[in-house]
Amino acid sequence: MTNEKRLPRRNDPASTAARREALGLKGDVDLAPYVKVAESVTGTAVIPVSVAELHVSLGDYELSADGDVVETGRAEEDVVVPLAHTEGGLTVSLQRGAKAASESGGFRTYVVADRITRASCFVCRDAGDALALARWIEARVGEMRDWLRAADIPELSKHAVLREAKTHVVGPMCHVLWRFTTGDAVGPNMMTRNAYALNTAFVSPNAPVAIERIALEANMGGDKKSSYEYFQSGHGKTVIAEATLTDEAIRRVLRTTAEDLDELAWAGTHGAVASGMQSVAFTPASAVAAIFAATGQDLGMVGTSSMAHGTSRRIEGGLHASVRFPGLEVGTVGGGTALPTQRQWLELMGCAGPGKVYRLAQIVAAAALALEISASAAMATAGSESFFRAHFERGGLR
Amino acid sequence: MTNEKRLPRRNDPASTAARREALGLKGDVDLAPYVKVAESVTGTAVIPVSVAELHVSLGDYELSADGDVVETGRAEEDVVVPLAHTEGGLTVSLQRGAKAASESGGFRTYVVADRITRASCFVCRDAGDALALARWIEARVGEMRDWLRAADIPELSKHAVLREAKTHVVGPMCHVLWRFTTGDAVGPNMMTRNAYALNTAFVSPNAPVAIERIALEANMGGDKKSSYEYFQSGHGKTVIAEATLTDEAIRRVLRTTAEDLDELAWAGTHGAVASGMQSVAFTPASAVAAIFAATGQDLGMVGTSSMAHGTSRRIEGGLHASVRFPGLEVGTVGGGTALPTQRQWLELMGCAGPGKVYRLAQIVAAAALALEISASAAMATAGSESFFRAHFERGGLR
Amino acid sequence: MTNEKRLPRRNDPASTAARREALGLKGDVDLAPYVKVAESVTGTAVIPVSVAELHVSLGDYELSADGDVVETGRAEEDVVVPLAHTEGGLTVSLQRGAKAASESGGFRTYVVADRITRASCFVCRDAGDALALARWIEARVGEMRDWLRAADIPELSKHAVLREAKTHVVGPMCHVLWRFTTGDAVGPNMMTRNAYALNTAFVSPNAPVAIERIALEANMGGDKKSSYEYFQSGHGKTVIAEATLTDEAIRRVLRTTAEDLDELAWAGTHGAVASGMQSVAFTPASAVAAIFAATGQDLGMVGTSSMAHGTSRRIEGGLHASVRFPGLEVGTVGGGTALPTQRQWLELMGCAGPGKVYRLAQIVAAAALALEISASAAMATAGSESFFRAHFERGGLR
Amino acid sequence: MTNEKRLPRRNDPASTAARREALGLKGDVDLAPYVKVAESVTGTAVIPVSVAELHVSLGDYELSADGDVVETGRAEEDVVVPLAHTEGGLTVSLQRGAKAASESGGFRTYVVADRITRASCFVCRDAGDALALARWIEARVGEMRDWLRAADIPELSKHAVLREAKTHVVGPMCHVLWRFTTGDAVGPNMMTRNAYALNTAFVSPNAPVAIERIALEANMGGDKKSSYEYFQSGHGKTVIAEATLTDEAIRRVLRTTAEDLDELAWAGTHGAVASGMQSVAFTPASAVAAIFAATGQDLGMVGTSSMAHGTSRRIEGGLHASVRFPGLEVGTVGGGTALPTQRQWLELMGCAGPGKVYRLAQIVAAAALALEISASAAMATAGSESFFRAHFERGGLR
C-alpha cells in the first residue's frame, strides 16, 4: 500500500536531476535561485505579467513607538503595477478604472493599522481558571514585550514586536490573540517563534493556574481563512483606497452614470447580505492575486487579503467610491520577494526591500479599487452589456 | 493630473519591447506564449515548483443527463503533485501528511457535485412583481435550458448547460442564481455569456412584469468572495477527501497521538466559531494556492476554493480525518492551463485536457488534506513545538 | 451540596399552594388554565397589551398538494394589532409608521413559503458511507412521505407532512434537514415525533450502510438559534411586507424626507456588514416580540423569527420600503395560543384557530415594517433628533 | 384608503374603556399599573410561571473606576428561578439539568464584562476626513466622559458612563461604538440620550472635519439584531456558566454517558458550522425567554441575549460543560421590572432593585446551562429517544 519507489527529496543538483528524469520532465531549467525557498524543487511555473498605470496620492507612514501607523507626508505619483494572471480582460479593465480615477484627480490611499496575529490557546481545567489566566496575561503585555526584547533566545525575532494580547475565554479555553508588528515582512515565521516563546517560556512557567494544553494556533484569528475577527480588526496592513469620480469621467471613460453605478451597488450589497457574503465588493481578489503572484507574496493569503468592504455614494457631480482592505498581508522582504522576477516587479513599483511595505500595501489597494470601479461600470450598464462584451471578446481569446 | 506619457498597451513585439525599455526592465524574455491570455504583457513571474507524492483512491465520475455527478469506478493510485510556492516547510509538511495517510491505507476522495453559478438580479417595481417574476422563472428552467441549446446566437456557449435557477426575492429585487455545468473548464466566461443571453433575450422580453433594471452579477452567489451560499451549496466541484489514520502512523510519522489531534481539533473548532471564521480548517489555502499556481488555475479563486470544512474523530485504533471543499474552481482546459509550464504540471498528474477535471479536483482535495493532517500534528504536540520547529528551521532559511 | 428541601413539583392545587407558601408568594391567583401547559406552575406574569391599527392588503393563501403556498385572493383590511411590551414609545412609533403607510395606500404582504425543519444527523463510519446514505435518503423522500401518512404508529402526527429532505455530508456525518409543513401550528413537537420515526423506523433499519449514531437534532438548521441556513431558506413562514411611501406622507407623518431615509439605510446597511450582523434592519424584534407575547407564541423563537432583511429604495415621488422575514414561527393553534388572554388577542385580529396562520404571519410582518419605517424616520432626521426625543420623553416615563 | 374611525389613543380610564368597547373586549381588567409603561394600553397578556431550583456558586461583583467588573466574593446558593412560558417539558427538563449539576457540585458563574453600546455614524466627505474624525474621537474619550459627567443638560443620564469609543471607518463613514456602563438598568434610553449629546453637542461643533450627516444608530453594533461584533465583544453583561458533571450524575440523572454527550456536541458543533449558525448551543433562547418574560426584561432582546457559545469536554470522571453568553441584556430596575408580577419574581430570586444586576445575569446563565445539559442529554441517548419521548409526552398535553 505504500509507495514502491520514492523520489529523492533534496535540492542538490543530482537529486533534482533524478527527480526530473523520474518524472519525465523535459528540458533544462535553472533551479539554483530556488533551492532555499522550498523543498524538493523540481521545476518552475511561469506566469505572464501585464502592467497597468495608476495615479495615486500615497501617504508616507511610520510606525510610532506605540505601534500606531502615523502619516508623515503625502504625494501624488504615477505608479506602474505588475499583474501576473491569465484572465483575458483583467488588465485592460483595471487600466480603464485607473483612467477614470486619474481623470477625476486620482486615487487616495491610507494605511490605517498594522498588526499580525498568532492566535494561541491555553486549555485550563475550567472557565474559572481560564478567566484567571486571561486577566493575568492582559496585565502583563508590557512585561512580555520587554521580555521578548531582552531575552537571549536565538530563535526569537527582534523584528516581531508584541503590541497587544486580546484574550477570549470560552469554556476552559483561554484563547489569546498575540498581536505583533513585523516590520517589512509579513512575518508569520517570526511571530510564530515569538508566540511560541511567550507560550512556553513566559506564560507556562509563570501562570497563576494550571495549564493542561497549549496550542500555538487555534483559529481564534484567521490564518489563511477569512473571519469576522480579521474582517473587522485587521491582519497585516489595514488600508483604505478611495476616488471621487466625476460625472464626466464616469460617462466618458466608464460609459455609464453615477446613478447606474449607485443602483448596482445597492443591488449588489443586498445580494451580498442575502448570500452571507462577508465582503461587499465585486472582484478584489483578481487584482490582489495578480499583484501577489507578480511580487512573491504568499498566494495562500490571497483569500484573506482580499476580504474587502467597498462603498459607493452619489455626491454632487459624481460618485465617491472606496474599498477598505482590513488585512493586506504583504511584505517587501522575506517570502518570495527576493526571487529574481519577483524582485524586479517590486523594484518597478519602488517597493523592493526595507521601508516600502506601506507603499506596497497602498498600491495594492488602489489597483484593486481601479478594478472594482471598472468591473462595476461594466455591470452597471443596461443589462450589464459591457461586462458581457468583455467576457465574450476577451475571454473568447482563449 | 493625468499621466503625461502613457505606455503602449499592445502585445505586438515592438510595443512590448517599448514597454520594457520605458520601464527599464533588463534582459530578454520570450513572451510569445502569453500574448493571447492577457493585455499589455511585459514580462513573467517565475515561481519554483516542488513535488509531493500522494497515495489516493480516486473515483471515476461522469455527469448524468440531469447534471448529477455519478461515480462509475474507483482505483488507488500514486500521484505526484506539483506545488508552486515559496513557503519553506510547506512541501515537506504536506509530504509528511501524505506519508501518514499512505501508511494508513491512503486518501479516499469523492466528487459530490458540480455547478458554477452566475448570480443575476432583476429589479422590479416592488416585491409583488419580483415574486411574480421569481415564480415565472422557476417554472421555465427546462424551457430555458432547451432555448440555450437551440439558440443560434454566436456568443452562446454550448458547454455551459443550465441546470437550475434558484430565485431569492428581497424587496423589489428578484435575485436569480443561474446554476450551470461547464465541462472541463471552470467556465466563468461561458456561463457569463449564457446568463447574459437568458437575462436579455429570454427573461426580459417575455417576463410577466416590468423589469426596471438587470444586473448580470449582483453578489447573491460568491464570485471570488467567500459566502455561506457557496460554503454550503458549492461552486465549482464539491469534493470530500478523507483518511483513516492508524495510531501507528500517527505516532511514527506524525509524532503525536490521536488524542492530541482530537484535542487540538476541539480547541481549533471553538476558536473558529469565536472568531466568526467561516471555514473550519488549518491551512487549506496553502495547498490550494500551490497547486493552482502550478497548473494555471485562476489565482483570484484561491480564497473561495479554499473554503473548507474539516473534521476529525477518534475511532478505535486511530483517527478519522476529512475535509470538505464546497467549491474547488478548477479546470483542465481554458484559463492558464494551456501555458507551457502549467500544461506540463497538469500532464504530470494525468490531468491535462478534457475529461480530467474531476480527477484534478480530487487530487487538490487530497493534497490539502495531507497538509491539514501534518500541520495539525505539528500544532498538536506539546505546546506545538513541532510547528514552532518547522517555522524556525524552514522559515529561517530565508 | 444538594438542595436540603425540594419544592413539590406537581400542578395539583395542594402542591401549587405549598409551593407558593414555601416561596412566600402573596395573594391569590387562578392557575387552573395553565396546569396543562407547563410543569410546576406557581404564578403568572402579567404584561400590558397596547394596540395599534394597520391598513394592509393581505393575501389569502392555500397550501398546494406539493407544499407550495399559493395565493388565491387578496383584500385590503384595517387590522388592530395587540402589542405586549413595556417599552415606552414603541406603540406610538409603530402607529406612526402604520399611519404613513396607510396614507400611502397601506402595506402589502405576501407569504412566500412554509416549512419547518428538524435537522437530524447520522454518523457513519466515514464520508464514503455518509455519501451513500445521503443519496439513498434523497431518492426516498416520496416513499418516506407515504410511509409517514400510512404508518400506524400512535406517536406520529398526521399534520406534519414531509416535503423535502436536504442532505449535507461533512466528514462521516450525514446531516439531514427533514422539511415539513405543519398546518396551523408551529409544529416543533409534531415534526420532532415524525423525524424521530423516520430516523429510527425508516432510515435506521433500511439504510444501505452502517449507522453508528443518530442525533435527532444536530444544529444543521437553526432551532431557536439564528443561522444563514434559515436566514435564506426559511423556517416557519417566509413573508415579505412592503409599502410604497409617498413624499407627502414621509414629510407630513414621518417628518423627514425620502433622501434622508435613503441615506440612513445606506449607512445602516454598511454598519450591519461591518459588524457581521446577519439581518439588515432596525428593530424588527421589538414588534415581533410584542405580538408573540400577546398571542401565545413561543418567546424562545423571538430571535429566529426576527431575522429580517429590509430594503429601502428611492422612487419617483417617494420611497419603497420592505422587509423579508425568512422564518416567522407562528401558529394559531398549539403552544400558548389557547390560553385565555392570548386567545382573545388572536381573535381580535381574526387569527384564532385553524386556517388563520398565514393571516397571522402577514400581520406580524406588516406591523414590524410599520415600526421599521417609523424608527428609521426618527433616526433619519438631522442627528436623529426625533429618535432621541422619543427615548427622552417616552423612556423618561419610567 | 385611510382608516375610517380611529381608536382613542390615551391611557386615561375613559379612553381605555372606549377602546375596549370598540374592540369588543369582554370583562374587567385593572390597567392602572401599566399606564406609564406603554401607550394605548388596552388589556393584558397573562403567562403562567413555573419555577425551578438551581444550586449555583455566584460571584459578587463590583464595577471598578475604570469600568472593569471585579469579583469581590463568591458563595454557593440555592436559587429558585421563575420561568414564564407555555412549552410543555421545558421546566422539568431544566430542573433535570439543574439536578445533574447540583449532584456534581453545582453551577459556577462568572461575570466577565459589562458594556452597552450605541453605534452612531458620522458621514463625512470622504474616507480621509472620516479617518481624521476617528483619530480625533479616539483621542478624546476621557474628555468626553468628563464632559458627560459635568454637563448641565437635563436630558443627560448620570448613570450612563462612557467607557470607550471604538471607531471603524468604511468609505466616508466614521462608525463609532459608544460603549457605556449603565448601572442596574439595561439602559438603552439613558445611553441613547448620552450618545445623542455626544454626537450633537460635543463631536459635531468641535470636529476637525466637516460632518455631512449623523445617525444616532447605524447598525455597527447589534441593537436587537445578532451580530459578530456582540457575539464576541459583548453587549449587556458577558457571563460564563459552567458545571463539571460527574459520570455518576450523568448516568443516574441524565440517563446517558459522557461519551454520548461528547459525540453529540461534536456533531452539533459541526452542524452549526455547516448551517452558518452564529451560536453553538442547543436551546438557550428557551431559558432566556422564560426568565425575561417572568421578570420584565425587554422581550425584543431575547434573540441577542440568547447568543451563546457552549462547550463540552470529557474529563477524567465526567464532563465539563459550559456556556458563554456574550450579551445578557438584563436589568433589575427600569423597563418592566417594576410591574407587580415581574417585581415579585425578581424578589423571589433576590434580584429586585439596585445592586442586583450581576446576580440576575448569573442566574440566567446558570438556568440556561441547566437546560442545555438536559436537552443535550435527551438528544444524546440512542437515536435521541429521550428527546422524542419528552416531546411526545409533554408536548402531547396540549
Side-chain angles (χ1 to χ4, degrees), chain A residues 1-3 7 9 19 23 25 34 36-51 53 55 76 78 80 85-89 91-92 95 102 105 155 168 172-173 175 189 192-193 196 213-229 259-260 263-264 266-268 270-272 274-278 281-283 285-286 289 293 298-300 302-303 335-336 339 341-342 344-345 348 379 383-385 387-389 391-392 394-395 397-398, chain B residues 1-3 5 7 9 19 23 25 34 36-51 53 55 76 78 80 85-89 91-92 95 102 105 155 168 172-173 175 189 192-193 196 213-229 259-260 263-264 266-268 270-272 274-278 281-283 285-286 289 293 298-300 302-303 335-336 339 341-342 344-345 348 379 383-385 387-389 391-392 394-395 397-398:
Chain A
M1 191 104 42
T2 58
N3 301 323
L7 296 170
R9 302 264 192 250
R19 260 199 312 279
L23 298 174
L25 296 171
Y34 311 118
K36 294 207 167 176
V37 295
E39 308 83 27
S40 302
V41 175
T42 310
T44 63
V46 182
I47 305 176
V49 175
S50 307
V51 294
E53 299 167 84
H55 189 76
E76 294 193 15
D78 290 320
V80 176
H85 69 90
T86 58
E87 186 179 348
T91 299
V92 78
Q95 185 63 67
S102 178
E155 288 90 344
H168 187 88
M173 290 167 273
H175 291 273
N189 281 314
T192 294
R193 278 144 39 202
Y196 179 80
R213 284 175 179 275
I214 305 174
L216 182 47
E217 169 63 47
N219 278 348
M220 175 73 204
D223 190 15
K224 302 195 186 178
K225 285 115 7 186
S226 60
S227 70
Y228 262 104
E229 171 63 32
E259 185 191 355
D260 285 346
E263 287 270 346
L264 176 74
W266 175 79
H270 282 292
S275 68
M277 191 178 288
Q278 187 168 65
F282 269 81
T283 189
S286 298
D298 188 334
L299 295 172
V302 162
L339 300 187
T341 52
Q342 288 81 340
Q344 179 193 51
W345 298 118
L348 180 69
M379 207 76 84
S384 309
E385 189 189 348
F387 188 77
F388 159 72
R389 282 286 144 216
H391 272 252
F392 179 55
R394 302 285 172 174
L397 292 173
R398 287 169 290 171
Chain B
M1 192 101 46
T2 58
N3 301 323
K5 48 178 162 46
L7 296 170
R9 300 265 193 248
R19 261 199 311 278
L23 297 175
L25 296 172
Y34 310 117
K36 295 206 166 177
V37 295
E39 306 83 28
S40 302
V41 175
T42 309
T44 62
V46 182
I47 305 175
V49 175
S50 306
V51 294
E53 300 167 84
H55 189 75
E76 294 193 16
D78 290 320
V80 175
H85 69 90
T86 57
E87 184 179 348
T91 299
V92 78
Q95 184 63 65
S102 178
E155 289 90 345
H168 186 89
M173 291 167 272
H175 290 274
N189 282 312
T192 295
R193 278 143 42 198
Y196 179 79
R213 285 177 179 274
I214 305 175
L216 182 48
E217 170 62 44
N219 277 349
M220 174 73 205
D223 191 15
K224 303 196 186 177
K225 285 118 1 190
S226 61
S227 69
Y228 262 104
E229 172 63 33
E259 185 191 355
D260 286 346
E263 288 271 346
L264 176 74
W266 175 79
H270 282 292
S275 68
M277 191 178 288
Q278 186 168 65
F282 269 80
T283 190
S286 299
D298 188 335
L299 294 172
V302 162
L339 300 187
T341 51
Q342 288 80 340
Q344 179 193 52
W345 298 118
L348 179 70
M379 209 76 85
S384 308
E385 190 190 346
F387 188 77
F388 159 72
R389 282 285 144 216
H391 272 251
F392 178 56
R394 302 285 172 174
L397 291 174
R398 286 168 292 171

Side-chain angles (χ1 to χ4, degrees), chain D residues 8 13 31 135 174 194 211 261 265 339:
Chain D
L31 300 178
R135 283 189 297 267
C174 175
N194 287 15
I211 294 171
L261 284 165
L339 300 186

Side-chain angles (χ1 to χ4, degrees), chain B residues 11-358:
Chain B
N11 274 345
D12 60 280
S15 299
T16 303
R19 261 199 311 278
R20 289 183 60 87
E21 187 181 341
L23 297 175
L25 296 172
K26 304 274 164 53
D28 248 3
V29 57
D30 176 16
L31 299 178
Y34 310 117
V35 295
K36 295 206 166 177
V37 295
E39 306 83 28
S40 302
V41 175
T42 309
T44 62
V46 182
I47 305 175
V49 175
S50 306
V51 294
E53 300 167 84
L54 307 178
H55 189 75
V56 197
S57 162
L58 295 163
D60 294 319
Y61 291 94
E62 286 181 7
L63 200 62
S64 78
D66 291 345
D68 291 333
V69 179
V70 179
E71 187 170 318
T72 59
R74 177 163 289 278
E76 294 193 16
E77 286 189 50
D78 290 320
V79 182
V80 175
V81 181
L83 303 164
H85 69 90
T86 57
E87 184 179 348
L90 194 162
T91 299
V92 78
S93 181
L94 193 155
Q95 184 63 65
R96 186 175 75 135
K99 186 179 180 194
S102 178
E103 299 200 355
S104 303
F107 296 103
R108 300 180 298 279
T109 55
Y110 306 89
V111 180
V112 179
D114 182 5
R115 287 291 181 278
I116 193 155
T117 306
R118 185 51 74 202
S120 296
C121 181
F122 300 89
V123 181
C124 303
R125 187 189 49 178
D126 57 23
D129 275 9
L131 285 166
L133 180 60
R135 283 189 297 268
W136 185 89
I137 288 172
E138 294 214 331
R140 275 159 190 80
V141 174
E143 195 180 326
M144 291 178 188
R145 187 185 305 124
D146 296 343
W147 180 84
L148 281 175
R149 274 191 184 125
D152 190 25
I153 305 179
E155 289 90 345
L156 288 188
S157 161
K158 300 302 176 193
H159 293 294
V161 180
L162 180 68
R163 299 297 181 174
E164 295 107 20
K166 171 178 167 175
T167 65
H168 186 89
V169 173
V170 182
M173 291 167 272
C174 175
H175 290 274
V176 181
L177 297 182
W178 300 115
R179 293 166 59 88
F180 294 92
T181 52
T182 50
D184 303 296
V186 176
N189 282 312
M190 58 176 83
M191 71 154 176
T192 295
R193 278 143 42 198
N194 286 15
Y196 179 79
L198 287 169
N199 293 348
T200 57
F202 190 101
V203 176
S204 183
N206 300 311
V209 297
I211 294 171
E212 299 192 359
R213 285 177 179 274
I214 305 175
L216 182 48
E217 170 62 44
N219 277 349
M220 174 73 205
D223 191 15
K224 303 196 186 177
K225 285 118 1 190
S226 61
S227 69
Y228 262 104
E229 172 63 33
Y230 290 163
F231 182 66
Q232 210 188 75
S233 72
H235 199 235
K237 318 310 176 200
T238 304
V239 182
I240 295 177
E242 68 179 342
T244 307
L245 302 172
T246 63
D247 280 332
E248 165 78 4
I250 294 170
R251 185 183 58 75
R252 224 171 44 78
V253 182
L254 301 175
R255 309 275 174 198
T256 184
T257 66
E259 185 191 355
D260 286 346
L261 284 165
D262 195 48
E263 288 271 346
L264 176 74
W266 175 79
T269 302
H270 282 292
V273 167
S275 68
M277 191 178 288
Q278 186 168 65
S279 292
V280 171
F282 269 80
T283 190
S286 299
V288 168
I291 305 181
F292 271 39
T295 61
Q297 308 301 317
D298 188 335
L299 294 172
M301 294 174 170
V302 162
T304 41
S305 289
S306 299
M307 290 191 296
H309 190 162
T311 67
S312 75
R313 185 175 182 236
R314 289 180 72 179
I315 53 165
E316 187 66 34
L319 187 95
H320 179 267
S322 79
V323 63
R324 177 183 189 269
F325 286 98
L328 287 172
E329 295 152 310
V330 291
T332 57
V333 303
T337 60
L339 300 187
T341 51
Q342 288 80 340
R343 177 85 182 182
Q344 179 193 52
W345 298 118
L346 283 170
E347 284 169 353
L348 179 70
M349 289 187 283
C351 290
K356 302 296 188 185
V357 72
Y358 296 137

Side-chain angles (χ1 to χ4, degrees), chain C residues 61 63 69 110-117 159 180-187 190 230-240 292 297 304-307 324-332 356-365:
Chain C
Y61 290 94
L63 199 63
V69 179
Y110 306 90
V111 181
V112 180
D114 181 5
R115 287 291 183 277
I116 193 156
T117 306
H159 294 294
F180 294 91
T181 53
T182 51
D184 303 295
V186 176
M190 58 176 80
Y230 290 163
F231 181 67
Q232 210 189 72
S233 72
H235 200 234
K237 319 308 178 202
T238 304
V239 182
I240 294 177
F292 271 40
Q297 308 302 318
T304 41
S305 289
S306 299
M307 289 191 296
R324 176 184 191 268
F325 285 99
L328 287 172
E329 294 152 308
V330 292
T332 58
K356 302 294 188 186
V357 72
Y358 296 136
R359 178 181 171 87
L360 176 58
Q362 290 175 82
I363 293 172
V364 172

Side-chain angles (χ1 to χ4, degrees), chain A residues 68 281 289 295 360 389:
Chain A
D68 291 334
T295 60
L360 175 59
R389 282 286 144 216

Side-chain angles (χ1 to χ4, degrees), chain B residues 351-386:
Chain B
C351 290
K356 302 296 188 185
V357 72
Y358 296 137
R359 177 181 172 88
L360 175 59
Q362 292 176 80
I363 293 172
V364 172
L369 180 55
L371 185 60
E372 290 293 285
I373 288 170
S374 178
S376 298
M379 209 76 85
T381 49
S384 308
E385 190 190 346
S386 304

